[in-house]
Amino acid sequence: MLYAINSEDVPDSLEKRLSVRPEHLERIKQLQAQGRLILAGPYPAIDSLDPGPAGFSGSLIVAEFESLPSAQAWAEADPYVAAGVYKQVTVKPFKKVLPA
């Protein structure tokens, strides 16, 4: 089943994000290599693809997991969690409708 992992950053998270970004991306690339990733990316803190020093306000990952507990465990093991980038992570089942 698909799960949406919606994460909200702490204020001024950019430096923390950048410090562990390679490890964070590596985990997501593993999902992609396994054919389980639907989409992933950050929320720019301002209305711009490159927010510069404004940074990001959070992230969204939609991917396939065996169960809600397995999706939650994967999300909790994210390097951004360990580095204190995220103040809140919410994992919910997700039903993709479009595009078909």
Side-chain angles (χ1 to χ4, degrees):
M1 180 162 185
L2 295 179
Y3 295 88
I5 302 169
N6 190 47
S7 305
E8 185 179 345
D9 283 22
V10 298
D12 302 314
S13 64
L14 186 58
E15 188 175 318
K16 290 178 183 179
R17 271 182 169 270
L18 294 176
S19 73
V20 293
R21 186 172 187 264
E23 294 91 339
H24 170 78
L25 290 178
E26 183 57 37
R27 293 180 80 237
I28 296 171
K29 288 177 183 177
Q30 290 174 9
L31 289 176
Q32 183 178 21
Q34 296 165 0
R36 297 169 46 203
L37 181 67
I38 303 302
L39 65 89
Y43 299 118
I46 61 173
D47 190 11
S48 174
L49 290 177
D50 182 3
F56 301 91
S57 63
S59 302
L60 173 65
I61 298 170
V62 178
E64 184 178 347
F65 292 92
E66 291 181 14
S67 64
L68 181 57
S70 66
Q72 289 169 326
W74 188 91
E76 290 168 7
D78 193 301
Y80 281 176
V81 171
V85 173
Y86 295 149
K87 71 176 177 182
Q88 181 174 336
V89 178
T90 304
V91 182
K92 293 182 177 184
F94 182 81
K95 182 179 177 182
K96 181 181 172 196
V97 175
L98 295 171

